[in-house]
Amino acid sequence: MHGGLSLTMGNLYGQMRASSSLVNRLNQKLRAVVNPSPWLSQSRSFTTTEGHRPTMIHKRSLDILHDPWFNKGTAFTMTERDRLDLRGLLPPNVMSTEQQIERFMADLKRYEVEARDGPSDPYAVAKWRILNRLHDRNETMYYKVLIANIEEYAPVIYTPNVGLVCQNYGGLFRRPRGMYFSGEDRGEMMSMVYNWPADEVDMIVVTDGSRILGLGDLGVQGIGIAIGKLDLYVAAAGINPQRVLPVMIDVGTNNEKLLKDPLYLGLQRHRLDGEEYLGVIDEFMEAVFTRWPHVIVQFEDFQSKWAFKLLQRYRARYRMFNDDVQGTAGVAIAGLLGAVRAQGRTMIDFPKQKIVVAGAGSAGIGVLNAARKTMARMLGNNESALESALRQFWVVDANGLITDERENVDPDALPFARKIEEIHRQGLKEGASLVQVVKQIKPDVLLGLSAVGGLFSKEVLEALKGSTSTRPAIFAMSNPTKNAECTPHEAFSIVGDNVVFASGSPFKDVHLGNGRIGHCNQGNNMYLFPGIGLGTLLSGSRIISDGMLQAAAECLAAYMSEEDVLNGVIYPSISSIRDITKQVAAAVIKEAIEEDLAEGYREMDARQLRKLSQDEIVEYVKNSMWSPEYPTLVYKQD
């Protein structure tokens, strides 16, 4: 607020704010006209201890939070948040100054102890802190550093380190980044969304914190995953960083430790469920698409219970996708197709692969559905093909092999339940262990999406040695690193040198002796989701179709040369991520055009898009990618 305006104006504004923050925009324009002495707006006014006089400021919203002179962080009261357009820009729990200091000191002491004792984790967090401080100071330089060193820093800002960051986000939180919508904000979201200063947003990554990687319910601290994903959208896809928005929807937490933690930043109550939960997500989706009709929303780390329901609820109405269900599936499909190529066969042989899947959560079911559809396309894309594809999968969850004899099977997993008569002929039964299934089926692929570290034990890997494949593949895809089903060293040393190995988290290659290397392929979602998002944006597609996702996966699968795949390298180097994303985005655009979904973007309308050749589409994508270069700055007075 300009220094010359009276408190009467401030009180009036506070009353108006209670009804709608849209009114704030009118008040801002009014204040721009009623401009007091210029020296007042340039000087700083401080409150004295004696008088406790209020400080007049000429800022609101993120401008306050990004100004170290006036920022209070989580200590802003709800009244101040309403008055200053801060509601939704901070975690919902208001902290006292004493709590803020206690939280900072607790984090500082914990870091000192961990660093003294010497485990590796604190050094990864230290790197994250240093990068985050650079991000706070100089965004252009931050992305310049990140792009130039993407192979080194992607694991720091994303998998696997982002899990540790989310677990400790309460202590790491300094400045807010993104928006927070909570169960307490029902009825307010349509006005709250206008508190975000950008008039155009291309990409939103949203989480409810219910299933962060394989770490479970981390509540409001899960915003770290949305921030990390969007950093990769900028670095890999060239989405303008001023047009991205990380979002946390805080509907409570069922993590008892957080519920009892006096320093926890989120709502300290159990999670909303049922229609109450859906009401919050519905209101959020309506709000963001009302303000930004062409935005793309990526759902991230929602628990399995809601991941599929929300995907089916929104995908036909909004430009959205779920990375855990669809992104993970696409990367896995690309890897599975690569594994077929590594056997010296063509990708069209994929429907012959016998695949044992450990894990039936949202990621596992997402991969199963995508793999089944891929096989069916290759077999003729009809009901018979879909039925035939089902016979290639054996799904094992925490209760063992899933069959049609089991009661209360998750509806999403039910199509993959094996017929009990068939299973008996294979020497198995309902609830058979993973070891028993691998021994009897002798699969070509052992695919882990269980979030259970070490699940692929010595016994399981020994059983895989009986595989009928000339080159069995092991996909230990669970994140973070500690949740990987096995390590590459275990895979190569137990199953043999000829195995194809992939994981969700990065591992170092294994030296097998005599100059031979066991390649560790990281099946990282960042190979696909930036290209899916960028391709959808530049095509102007109304929705994100299965065909567009399939095109992305097939593009990634074909990216590797024949020589690479025969050497066991089925995923490209992260250092090539900008080029990979460019190619994937072009494939998505091409598919959107063929499905008549493309509506164009900015100057490139749908008619012009349809005239572009493949090379011209790639060039269009390349020219649309943002690069971190300092712009020429010109000051314009209000």
Side-chain angles (χ1 to χ4, degrees):
M1 195 179 294
H2 287 295
L5 289 180
S6 69
L7 283 176
T8 304
M9 182 64 159
N11 292 337
L12 174 62
Y13 170 76
Q15 294 169 8
M16 294 171 77
R17 175 63 184 83
S19 61
S20 171
S21 65
L22 289 174
V23 179
N24 297 340
R25 301 307 182 263
L26 299 176
N27 282 340
Q28 284 178 307
K29 291 182 179 179
L30 174 61
R31 280 189 295 276
V33 175
V34 186
N35 195 0
S37 302
W39 69 268
L40 272 176
S41 63
Q42 294 169 6
S43 62
R44 295 188 184 277
S45 173
F46 298 94
T47 304
T48 63
T49 304
E50 294 81 10
H52 296 288
R53 293 196 300 268
T55 300
M56 299 297 169
I57 58 175
H58 58 278
K59 296 183 176 184
R60 283 209 184 105
S61 191
L62 287 178
D63 288 340
I64 297 172
L65 298 177
H66 290 166
D67 187 333
W69 283 99
F70 298 119
N71 181 31
K72 299 181 185 179
T74 55
F76 278 110
T77 66
M78 293 311 293
T79 302
E80 288 175 314
R81 295 181 191 200
D82 281 344
R83 189 166 64 241
L84 300 172
D85 284 358
L86 295 172
R87 184 185 272 264
L89 303 183
L90 290 161
N93 197 358
V94 177
M95 311 292 279
S96 68
T97 305
E98 292 75 19
Q99 284 177 308
Q100 286 183 312
I101 294 171
E102 185 182 352
R103 186 164 55 86
F104 172 77
M105 293 305 295
D107 182 53
L108 179 63
K109 292 297 181 186
R110 180 167 57 249
Y111 180 78
E112 286 175 353
V113 170
E114 288 175 345
R116 186 187 64 228
D117 292 344
S120 59
D121 283 345
Y123 300 112
V125 173
K127 279 186 180 179
W128 181 89
R129 285 179 190 265
I130 293 166
L131 286 169
N132 199 51
R133 287 169 188 159
L134 176 59
H135 198 174
D136 286 340
R137 295 193 307 272
N138 187 328
E139 196 162 76
T140 300
M141 183 61 71
Y142 170 75
Y143 286 114
K144 224 172 179 47
V145 169
L146 183 57
I147 291 169
N149 304 276
I150 190 68
E151 198 158 12
E152 178 183 356
Y153 291 146
V156 175
I157 64 166
Y158 181 46
T159 303
N161 191 51
V162 70
L164 189 65
V165 169
C166 288
Q167 286 177 305
N168 295 282
Y169 199 75
L172 295 170
F173 179 87
R174 294 295 178 267
R175 287 185 178 184
R177 196 181 300 281
M179 287 196 76
Y180 299 81
F181 296 83
S182 79
E184 298 295 307
D185 297 318
R186 279 173 287 187
E188 294 288 335
M189 293 184 197
M190 192 63 77
S191 60
M192 281 171 62
V193 76
Y194 287 89
N195 288 345
W196 190 252
D199 288 330
E200 293 187 58
V201 171
D202 292 331
M203 199 75 221
I204 289 174
V205 175
V206 59
T207 184
D208 69 351
S210 58
R211 189 204 64 85
I212 300 300
L213 300 175
L215 301 171
D217 186 345
L218 297 183
V220 77
Q221 298 174 169
I223 189 148
I225 197 81
I227 293 168
K229 288 276 186 177
L230 284 169
D231 275 350
L232 292 180
Y233 265 111
V234 177
I239 303 289
N240 190 317
Q242 295 182 359
R243 298 164 70 99
V244 302
L245 173 58
V247 170
M248 173 70 214
I249 299 181
D250 185 359
V251 291
T253 178
N254 293 334
N255 184 323
E256 293 300 324
K257 182 179 177 182
L258 297 179
L259 289 172
K260 295 172 184 174
D261 184 356
L263 304 181
Y264 175 58
L265 294 170
L267 296 178
Q268 288 185 295
R269 68 178 189 201
H270 287 99
R271 286 185 169 273
L272 295 178
D273 204 354
E275 290 301 317
E276 277 192 303
Y277 175 86
L278 285 173
V280 172
I281 310 297
D282 282 349
E283 186 178 344
F284 162 76
M285 291 293 280
E286 184 181 0
V288 295
F289 279 95
T290 296
R291 185 174 183 198
W292 303 296
H294 303 296
V295 72
I296 300 161
V297 176
Q298 175 178 315
F299 277 60
E300 189 69 34
D301 285 358
F302 283 70
Q303 60 184 312
S304 300
K305 174 181 177 179
W306 289 112
F308 286 100
K309 287 185 177 70
L310 295 176
L311 179 61
Q312 296 309 317
R313 189 177 183 87
Y314 301 129
R315 68 174 308 192
R317 278 194 290 157
Y318 298 119
R319 299 211 296 180
M320 61 80 63
F321 70 107
N322 183 302
D323 186 46
D324 304 296
V325 176
Q326 297 164 298
T328 299
V331 171
I333 294 303
L336 291 169
L337 294 173
V340 176
R341 293 179 66 198
Q343 296 169 4
R345 304 160 78 179
T346 61
M347 288 191 280
I348 201 70
D349 287 322
F350 179 51
K352 299 175 184 177
Q353 298 276 288
K354 293 181 293 182
I355 303 174
V356 171
V357 180
S362 59
I365 298 299
V367 171
L368 282 163
N369 284 324
R372 179 193 180 192
K373 288 176 183 175
T374 302
M375 287 183 177
R377 279 194 191 93
M378 294 177 175
L379 293 171
N381 211 18
N382 50 41
E383 283 301 317
S384 174
L386 281 167
E387 191 61 34
S388 177
L390 279 176
R391 293 196 288 271
Q392 300 306 118
F393 303 98
W394 289 260
V395 185
V396 180
D397 66 4
N399 297 312
L401 179 65
I402 301 176
T403 73
D404 58 5
E405 189 177 72
R406 185 182 300 187
E407 296 179 2
N408 301 319
V409 178
D410 186 320
D412 295 313
L414 189 58
F416 298 94
R418 301 294 302 208
K419 290 183 170 54
I420 196 67
E421 300 85 2
E422 181 185 10
I423 286 301
H424 284 161
R425 290 196 298 271
Q426 294 171 340
L428 295 167
K429 61 181 180 179
E430 159 62 34
S433 70
L434 182 60
V435 174
Q436 292 170 330
V437 174
V438 173
K439 271 184 181 175
Q440 295 300 120
I441 301 305
K442 306 183 190 310
D444 299 283
V445 178
L446 179 58
L447 176 58
L449 291 154
S450 65
V452 179
L455 181 66
F456 296 168
S457 63
K458 182 180 179 182
E459 292 74 23
V460 171
L461 294 175
E462 287 279 2
L464 188 62
K465 290 170 71 174
S467 169
T468 54
S469 173
T470 57
R471 196 168 196 181
I474 299 170
F475 287 74
M477 301 294 280
S478 293
N479 286 313
T481 308
K482 69 175 186 177
N483 287 351
E485 284 78 7
C486 71
T487 68
H489 180 268
E490 291 165 341
F492 286 107
S493 63
I494 296 174
V495 183
D497 295 355
N498 207 35
V499 71
V500 175
F501 181 85
S503 59
S505 291
F507 284 98
K508 292 181 180 178
D509 289 342
V510 177
H511 292 279
L512 304 173
N514 299 322
R516 293 173 303 129
I517 294 175
H519 291 284
C520 303
N521 299 278
Q522 187 189 2
N524 197 320
N525 283 22
M526 72 181 286
Y527 286 125
L528 282 191
F529 71 76
I532 292 169
L534 180 61
T536 303
L537 176 71
L538 297 182
S539 70
S541 176
R542 301 185 294 275
I543 59 168
I544 300 175
S545 70
D546 286 338
M548 291 161 68
L549 296 165
Q550 182 71 22
E554 291 177 0
C555 175
L556 177 59
Y559 191 85
M560 304 305 299
S561 70
E562 203 65 28
E563 181 183 358
D564 283 330
V565 294
L566 290 176
N567 284 328
V569 181
I570 58 173
Y571 290 117
S573 168
I574 293 292
S575 61
S576 306
I577 193 62
R578 294 271 288 196
D579 185 62
I580 297 163
T581 299
K582 177 181 68 180
Q583 299 295 338
V584 169
V588 170
I589 292 171
K590 188 169 184 286
E591 181 64 23
I593 293 170
E594 289 178 0
E595 294 185 33
D596 200 26
L597 293 172
E599 297 184 350
Y601 177 71
R602 294 186 175 175
E603 293 80 18
M604 184 69 72
D605 63 27
R607 183 177 53 83
Q608 291 170 308
L609 266 179
R610 284 191 288 271
K611 291 180 180 178
L612 297 181
S613 67
Q614 179 63 34
D615 288 343
E616 287 172 332
I617 292 175
V618 172
E619 190 66 18
Y620 165 55
V621 173
K622 179 183 176 183
N623 293 337
S624 301
M625 295 170 77
W626 177 86
S627 292
E629 301 295 338
Y630 288 121
T632 300
L633 301 178
V634 178
Y635 173 72
K636 184 179 180 180
Q637 191 171 8
D638 290 339

